[in-house]
Amino acid sequence: MELTIESLDEVPAELRSGSWQFSTSALAPGRMASAADDTRWATTWFVASSHGQVLGAVNSRSPRSEQFLNGALDLRERAELLGRLVPDDPRRWAFIGSNGELASGTLTSAGLTATEATEVRTALVSRAFGEAEKAGKYAAALYVRDQEVGSFASGLAARATVHAIASTAELPLLGGDMDAHIAALPAGRRAVCRRDRRKFATLGHGAECVPAEDVIAEAAPLVCAVKRKYGVTDHPRLCAYRLRQWVLSLGPGACHASVVRDAGGALLAVSFFAVQDTVLESYEIGLLDELPGREWCYLQALIHGPVEWGLRHGCHSVDLGLDSSVVKKRRGASIGTAWAVSGA
């Protein structure tokens, strides 16, 4: 395939229309385009075309400030995995294929064959890394999914450094309702899900899925509480702002929350998720620190609530996000890997 790759400072207009393929819902065109509005980052796009038709795109993002507060994306924290000495100044970093979420990857035209898409991805990655390095920046891609890690490694050829950094979980939705879904699971998974539902029922809490906008302010402190347990500092106002931007980028109709409340209506647990085509993508989880039956509230908010909603609305799978792989696998999820890639 004869490809031409050009660089742009603006979001490629083609991303706002047409059909695109991407390795995880966090990389949907709307999410990638909205990230370009964040003035804390300098963004360059690389667009691959053939005979005047745009076939793929990837971005390169660099922080504009020497203060970098996102620990999950801090390259200094992953220096041993990435190879070479990571610069102390974040302004010298380049995140390839990122929108600030825990995912990196490319966008390719839905009309391409698997072989063609791989060729486009590889060419885009090679160009994006090459241009960043020419500019004196340390380029890396964090949380690249299994479907794309081969293209990222090929784009860097022999100098690629690739390491696993997290697990992923995708839960297929089986049958037409919750009972049919659970019945279709293997025996061991079936027993676990039925036990979850019995345990949750004994707590007497209420559970439902509501528009995400309805609970953002109320849920933000719970999301921050979960982050604190993992050593991540967040503030409820910043968390609420981020959630509202998430809703704005995808549209209110796509964004929902699976909530658990006690008998008095107090919010105990929440999981935000969005519809991307036929996939539900988990976004943020919130949970009270001290809570009787905390485990069952967590499972209801994160897994059972979204599964029930997805089955009612014709979805095919739930992207359950990163890590906690044992918990998710025992309830029917397929476990994959998220990778760190650098040109060291």
Side-chain angles (χ1 to χ4, degrees):
M1 187 188 310
E2 184 178 336
L3 290 174
T4 300
I5 298 179
E6 62 175 330
S7 61
L8 301 173
D9 292 329
E10 303 293 333
V11 177
E14 290 81 2
L15 290 191
R16 302 185 187 278
S17 61
S19 298
W20 297 91
Q21 50 188 338
F22 36 91
S23 57
T24 179
S25 302
L27 301 174
R31 299 280 291 278
M32 299 299 286
S34 67
D37 296 330
D38 190 337
T39 57
R40 295 172 299 176
W41 297 80
T43 303
T44 300
W45 286 89
F46 299 93
V47 180
S49 303
S50 180
H51 302 292
Q53 180 182 0
V54 173
L55 300 180
V58 72
N59 66 7
S60 175
R61 304 177 81 224
S62 295
R64 294 185 185 273
S65 170
E66 34 186 342
Q67 300 298 318
F68 192 78
L69 302 178
N70 189 336
L73 296 181
D74 194 321
L75 298 185
R76 293 164 298 198
E77 299 295 322
R78 303 188 183 276
E80 290 187 11
L81 288 180
L82 294 170
R84 294 196 292 125
L85 184 63
V86 175
D88 284 333
D89 188 346
R91 293 172 296 184
R92 293 184 55 203
W93 304 347
F95 292 89
I96 307 302
S98 171
N99 64 0
E101 304 294 344
L102 301 187
S104 293
T106 62
L107 293 161
T108 54
S109 171
L112 296 177
T113 66
T115 300
E116 290 170 338
T118 297
E119 183 179 347
V120 170
R121 289 189 194 107
T122 300
L124 286 167
V125 167
S126 178
R127 176 68 179 273
F129 270 89
E131 291 297 320
E133 290 163 355
K134 281 182 189 176
K137 295 188 176 182
Y138 187 103
L142 299 185
Y143 301 98
V144 179
R145 299 310 198 256
D146 286 328
Q147 304 96 302
E148 292 201 79
V149 69
S151 296
F152 272 73
S154 295
L156 291 168
R159 62 194 185 91
T161 296
V162 181
H163 287 283
I165 56 172
S167 64
T168 63
E170 187 85 7
L171 177 61
L173 299 183
L174 312 169
D177 56 29
M178 195 64 170
D179 288 338
H181 168 76
I182 293 176
L185 294 171
R189 312 288 189 251
R190 203 159 54 231
V192 169
C193 287
R194 286 173 175 161
R195 182 203 62 186
D196 290 349
R197 290 166 67 79
R198 289 195 302 270
K199 291 280 191 178
F200 183 73
T202 63
L203 293 172
H205 297 323
E208 63 177 334
C209 290
V210 300
E213 291 178 305
D214 292 357
V215 295
I216 286 177
E218 187 182 12
L222 275 66
V223 174
C224 292
V226 170
K227 290 184 181 295
R228 276 197 305 272
K229 283 186 171 291
Y230 292 93
V232 178
T233 301
D234 201 1
H235 190 283
R237 288 183 182 176
L238 289 175
C239 178
Y241 171 78
R242 188 172 62 252
L243 285 163
R244 290 189 184 100
Q245 290 300 111
W246 171 71
V247 171
L248 185 63
S249 69
L250 294 179
C255 300
H256 308 271
S258 170
V259 300
V260 174
R261 296 185 182 276
D262 67 13
L267 186 64
L268 305 178
V270 59
S271 173
F272 290 95
F273 63 92
V275 185
Q276 300 279 356
D277 193 17
T278 60
V279 176
L280 294 187
E281 177 211 358
S282 296
Y283 184 58
E284 292 276 24
I285 181 80
L287 197 60
L288 285 180
D289 279 333
E290 301 297 330
L291 173 64
R294 190 175 190 272
E295 175 184 356
W296 315 114
C297 292
Y298 165 81
L299 292 169
Q300 175 62 32
L302 178 70
I303 298 177
H304 296 292
V307 166
E308 288 189 83
W309 192 96
L311 288 165
R312 289 198 305 270
H313 292 85
C315 295
H316 295 168
S317 65
V318 182
D319 178 345
L320 290 172
L322 302 175
D323 296 330
S324 301
S325 56
V326 173
V327 168
K328 296 168 184 176
K329 184 176 181 179
R330 292 185 67 200
R331 287 152 184 88
S334 298
I335 306 302
T337 304
W339 305 85
V341 182
S342 71

